[in-house]
Amino acid sequence: AEYEEQKWERLRGNRDQLLQATDGVIVRAMEENLVVSNEVTEYRQELRDFPESVVNILEFDIQNDALWPIKPEVYFEV
């Protein structure tokens, strides 16, 4: 049970880091009156929802980037 909780904490920590990596996009958009792309908005929502999609945390490979939501390539609407 303790190991399982540690894996959940690690998953949420990784998720939080990925969200923080896009915080600058949101701040820049607010400061420069830019429109954040739908890809960024969807990515951030997917990250927030991500823990709910993990069926078995004990078998989930946190280090496997292919299992995580895909980081957007376009940050702002043109």
Side-chain angles (χ1 to χ4, degrees):
E2 184 177 332
Y3 176 69
E4 183 175 355
E5 184 54 36
Q6 288 173 349
K7 281 201 76 170
W8 280 115
E9 287 178 20
R10 194 163 156 222
L11 179 115
R12 289 188 296 269
N14 284 15
R15 184 266 325 261
D16 292 348
Q17 287 178 344
L18 292 171
L19 274 170
Q20 288 173 353
T22 60
D23 285 350
V25 172
I26 305 304
V27 170
R28 181 173 173 209
M30 292 185 334
E31 291 176 348
E32 298 180 22
N33 202 27
L34 300 171
V35 177
V36 175
S37 71
N38 286 338
E39 289 86 353
V40 170
T41 303
E42 291 169 6
Y43 174 69
R44 290 175 58 87
Q45 187 61 53
E46 288 172 6
L47 287 172
R48 285 191 285 278
D49 295 340
F50 189 68
E52 296 171 11
S53 72
V54 176
V55 177
N56 185 340
I57 191 64
L58 296 175
E59 293 180 5
F60 185 78
D61 181 3
I62 292 172
Q63 300 302 318
N64 185 345
D65 291 340
L67 300 175
W68 289 82
I70 299 169
K71 186 177 177 181
E73 294 183 21
V74 177
Y75 294 118
F76 303 105
E77 297 292 332
V78 179

